[in-house]
Amino acid sequence: DVKVTQSSRYLVKRTGEKVFLECVQDMDHENMFWYRQDPGLGLRLIYFSYDVKMKEKGDIPEGYSVSREKKERFSLILESASTNQTSMYLCATQGGGVAGDEQYFGPGTRLTVT
Amino acid sequence: SQQGEEDPQALSIQEGENATMNCSYKTGINNLQWYRQNSGRGLVHLILIRSNEREKHSGRLRVTLDTSKKSSSLLITASRAADTASYFCATRLTGGGNKLTFGTGTQLKVEL
C-alpha cells in the first residue's frame, strides 16, 4: 500500500512566520502535488512536481513555493504566512503511466495562521 | 462555475437506501475519478472511469459517464452509516498532463 505522510496534523503559526509543510511518500511515485482545501471551494492545486527538482505552478501558487530535492519528499513553503493561508493542506502522489492515474493522499495538515 | 461540480451539495438518507451523486464538467477529459473524504482526513480513491467507458462497478459502487452531456454519476447501493463522508469527482483533462481538477464535493450523511 502507498503511504503518504505529512509532517503535522495541526499547526498554528503567527502572521509573517516562514512555514514548512513536509510530505513523504514510500512508493517511488514520480508525481507529487500540494492542494489546499477550503469549505465550499473544494481542492485547489497549489504546486506539483513530476520529478526531482522539477516543479510547476498549479491554480493558486501565489504566496507559496515548493522544494523537491529527493524523489520521496515534497515540501510546501509559506514564505511569510498570512491569515488568508489558514486552511487544510493536502499532499498527494501519483505514479502516472502504467502505475495509474489515481492519486494517494496524506492525512492533511490543518494550518491556522493568527 | 468550476470544472467538476457535484450535485447535490449535501444529501441525507437512511441506512439501506441508495445514494446518487452527480458530477458535471466542462471540457474534454481522459478520465474521471471519484474520491471519498472522511471528516478532516485525506481523500481516498474509489473508482476511475475512462472517457471511452460508459459504466463501471466496484462492490456497492456504480459509476456512469456520459461524455455527450459531460456528466457522471456515482451510485452507492445499500448505504451504511460508514459511508457518511464527502465525495468528490476529479477530472483528468485532455492535454492536462497528470493534474486532476476536483469538484467542490457532495456531503453524504447516512442515518441509522
Side-chain angles (χ1 to χ4, degrees):
Chain A
D1 281 350
V2 175
K3 189 169 183 183
V4 183
T5 58
Q6 293 184 228
S7 48
S8 305
R9 289 282 283 128
Y10 299 95
L11 207 54
V12 180
K13 295 291 181 181
R14 294 192 182 275
T15 301
E17 278 193 84
K18 191 168 185 175
V19 182
F20 292 86
L21 303 181
E22 300 250 296
C23 176
V24 178
Q25 52 112 348
D26 67 355
M27 275 299 289
D28 203 36
H29 281 177
E30 302 288 340
N31 306 301
M32 297 187 76
F33 305 81
W34 275 107
Y35 297 91
R36 65 177 281 177
Q37 182 178 22
D38 300 289
L41 297 177
L43 276 73
R44 293 180 291 167
L45 181 64
I46 305 171
Y47 266 97
F48 66 101
S49 169
Y50 52 89
D51 202 351
V52 174
K53 297 191 186 295
M54 305 302 286
K55 61 185 179 185
E56 282 199 29
K57 292 179 180 179
D59 300 317
I60 52 163
E62 297 78 18
Y64 304 94
S65 62
V66 290
S67 172
R68 193 164 180 204
E69 296 296 318
K70 293 185 177 181
K71 192 173 186 180
E72 67 270 19
R73 189 180 298 268
F74 191 35
S75 302
L76 179 70
I77 303 153
L78 287 67
E79 294 289 343
S80 178
S82 63
T83 54
N84 63 12
Q85 292 178 311
T86 290
S87 186
M88 172 73 120
Y89 289 87
L90 293 162
C91 173
T93 74
Q94 179 195 55
V98 296
D101 283 349
E102 58 266 38
Q103 293 191 3
Y104 297 86
F105 283 80
T109 295
R110 190 166 292 281
L111 172 68
T112 302
V113 183
T114 61
Chain B
S1 58
Q2 300 180 43
Q3 172 85 353
E5 287 193 0
E6 288 90 343
D7 167 54
Q9 288 188 324
L11 180 61
S12 183
I13 60 174
Q14 298 293 312
E15 199 171 45
E17 293 181 338
N18 295 342
T20 299
M21 287 158 266
N22 303 297
C23 171
S24 60
Y25 57 93
K26 290 181 170 179
T27 60
I29 62 170
N30 283 319
N31 65 59
L32 185 145
Q33 305 176 33
W34 286 91
Y35 289 79
R36 184 187 73 222
Q37 183 181 35
N38 290 94
S39 180
R41 308 292 297 185
L43 279 71
V44 174
H45 179 264
L46 294 176
I47 195 165
L48 180 154
I49 187 164
R50 303 193 185 284
S51 59
N52 61 354
E53 297 175 314
R54 292 296 166 258
E55 189 171 311
K56 208 160 181 182
H57 296 253
S58 177
R60 292 183 297 113
L61 305 180
R62 173 180 168 246
V63 169
T64 60
L65 179 64
D66 186 335
T67 53
S68 67
K69 295 181 179 178
K70 291 187 169 57
S71 68
S72 173
S73 67
L74 171 68
L75 168 68
I76 304 173
T77 60
S79 63
R80 305 167 182 167
D83 295 327
T84 295
S86 292
Y87 291 82
F88 294 86
C89 70
T91 49
R92 183 181 173 190
L93 306 182
T94 305
N98 288 316
K99 292 189 298 182
L100 293 179
T101 302
F102 285 83
T104 52
T106 292
Q107 280 188 293
L108 173 66
K109 185 174 183 180
V110 181
E111 301 187 83
L112 294 170

